[in-house]
Amino acid sequence: MLATGTAPEFAPPADPALARFPLFETRDVDEARVRGAQVFCDHKLQLLDRHSSIDARMCFKRLRGVGIGRMTYGAHVAVEPGCLEDFLLVQMPLSGAEILRSGDIVVNSSRRIATVASPQRPFSLRHEAGTEKLFVRIDRDVLERHCLQHLGHALRQPLEFRLDMPLDTAAGQQWMRALRWLVAELDSVADGEVITSRYPLLAAQFEQMLISMLLVCQPHNYSEQLQADAPSIAPAFVKRVERYIEDNAHEPLTIVDLAAHAGVSSRSLFAGFKRYRDTTPMLHLREVRLRRVREALLEGRPGQTTVTSEAMRWGFSHLGHFTAAYKRRFGESPSETLARG
């Protein structure tokens, strides 16, 4: 069985993602295997081209039960991890290609298609020279606990995901948008430990957002139950916060402010938005603010209105991230919108 796909609409970031979280860099195969095992599990690592040398590099950041990283072996290698057992692994090449085999299933993975290795499913991997990838590591117990909470009952069999994740589908692009947003947020933090040590609730929200997105976007053996059990009518507190955001998007709102207005806990508010809107309160706020910037640019005049001033007015202090988010959302740059106004 061979999985293929067509080119997605996104491209690798201009700057190396997660560069502020270097874990190791080595030209020694044994060291690459040992250091890699500290993030993944014990595995076999074989250099397939004797005339080349390995140039392994990894950047990695852990947020509670979720780890996000970028890595390359820099050479054609074979990786034999067997079963992952304690974690799930999503791998998304930014360049090059990998071939993942599990039983009679073969996935040619590239920028067009990612792979999702479930904990109990054995697999092997061929990593081509020149391949670099993003990956997401999710602890098995955390993943199963989130799935149980969504289902409302215990898991009757191990959670198993489809092995290939096409990235040119709506679901695949939704997953990548969520991941790239989270990577951008991590890259924008001066001290990576701030999130986990000083803001544990924020780290918990990042963890829940990414796991919930995976459960929604990637088919698995509980997908039908999750879809069948999902109510279609959002509770009053979700609608109340949506109206509040529309009316007060210009204010410096926080998740605490929104929860206080709704009269529920931050956790309940976050869960309500994820369950009924498939987003988070703060992402919804960002969406509203992006729309307000667009309205201002369409109404403005070149020479009088500037992209920078409108972005700053609506709370976007990092212009690079703002421009990227704007272009993903509207299919054109802010300056192109202003020129059309």
Side-chain angles (χ1 to χ4, degrees):
M1 176 177 173
L2 183 64
T4 59
T6 56
E9 296 179 357
F10 52 81
D15 299 322
L18 304 170
R20 66 176 66 242
F21 306 107
L23 189 63
F24 70 83
E25 182 172 353
T26 181
R27 293 182 178 274
D28 183 83
V29 175
D30 289 334
E31 183 180 2
R33 180 186 58 78
V34 171
R35 297 301 301 274
Q38 294 172 353
V39 172
F40 303 124
C41 60
D42 194 19
H43 59 280
K44 297 178 181 178
L45 178 63
Q46 179 185 3
L47 186 63
L48 297 179
D49 184 355
R50 295 183 178 180
H51 299 291
S52 64
S53 61
I54 200 167
D55 184 12
R57 301 185 303 277
M58 181 186 295
C59 297
F60 182 72
K61 176 61 182 173
R62 190 173 181 89
L63 292 170
R64 292 166 54 98
V66 171
I68 303 175
R70 190 186 95 249
M71 72 172 300
T72 180
Y73 288 107
H76 189 194
V77 300
V79 186
E80 300 278 350
C83 288
L84 302 178
E85 299 292 348
D86 297 329
F87 65 97
L88 172 141
L89 184 63
V90 186
Q91 302 176 95
M92 299 139 287
L94 297 171
S95 61
E98 293 184 322
I99 300 176
L100 186 145
R101 298 176 183 271
S102 180
D104 62 348
I105 300 177
V106 179
V107 180
N108 287 334
S109 181
S110 65
R111 283 179 54 201
R112 300 174 178 179
I113 189 165
T115 57
V116 183
S118 299
Q120 72 286 350
R121 187 170 193 167
F123 72 94
S124 63
L125 189 70
R126 294 292 185 273
H127 178 98
E128 300 293 338
T131 299
E132 188 167 23
K133 63 185 175 182
L134 288 176
F135 67 86
V136 175
R137 181 198 189 282
I138 304 178
D139 290 350
R140 179 176 184 173
D141 60 338
V142 175
L143 176 63
E144 292 180 344
R145 186 168 66 248
H146 276 72
C147 187
L148 184 152
Q149 291 172 346
H150 282 280
L151 287 170
H153 60 74
L155 303 183
R156 298 181 177 88
Q157 55 184 332
L159 180 60
E160 185 170 344
F161 286 81
R162 174 174 159 173
L163 199 58
D164 62 307
M165 177 192 281
L167 298 178
D168 57 345
T169 64
Q173 292 185 26
Q174 186 178 21
W175 162 259
M176 287 304 299
R177 283 195 298 269
L179 179 60
R180 289 183 183 282
W181 174 81
L182 181 51
V183 168
E185 290 301 304
L186 291 175
D187 284 340
S188 69
V189 176
D191 181 358
E193 296 304 316
V194 167
I195 294 178
T196 50
S197 61
R198 291 177 54 188
Y199 304 112
L201 290 179
L202 183 59
Q205 289 183 2
F206 284 158
E207 175 193 80
Q208 183 170 346
M209 181 271 288
L210 204 58
I211 294 177
S212 296
M213 193 67 70
L214 181 65
L215 288 170
V216 169
C217 294
Q218 182 65 2
H220 51 84
N221 53 336
Y222 289 98
S223 292
E224 291 186 6
Q225 291 186 47
L226 287 178
Q227 294 171 5
D229 294 341
S232 59
I233 302 176
F237 72 82
V238 171
K239 297 178 181 179
R240 189 181 307 127
V241 168
E242 287 176 328
R243 290 193 297 270
Y244 186 73
I245 287 176
E246 286 288 344
D247 295 338
N248 298 275
H250 59 286
E251 299 290 345
L253 301 177
T254 66
I255 188 67
V256 175
D257 297 329
L258 300 178
H261 180 78
V264 298
S265 68
S266 299
R267 182 176 181 179
S268 295
L269 180 61
F270 184 87
F273 265 79
K274 286 305 300 177
R275 182 172 177 80
Y276 297 97
R277 295 294 187 252
D278 194 27
T279 187
T280 70
M282 300 311 289
L283 281 178
H284 180 73
L285 173 60
R286 188 183 74 154
E287 175 71 15
V288 171
R289 286 174 171 168
L290 281 172
R291 180 157 39 87
R292 297 293 172 81
V293 173
R294 182 173 178 81
E295 292 169 357
L297 294 178
L298 287 171
E299 295 174 359
R301 296 181 179 179
Q304 298 180 5
T305 303
T306 68
V307 171
T308 300
S309 63
E310 291 302 327
M312 296 293 288
R313 183 161 74 94
W314 288 102
F316 297 99
S317 58
H318 194 296
L319 293 180
H321 293 164
F322 159 73
T323 300
Y326 187 99
K327 193 167 185 177
R328 284 195 302 270
R329 174 63 180 83
F330 301 113
E332 64 180 8
S333 68
S335 59
E336 289 172 333
T337 301
L338 179 59
R340 293 195 301 106

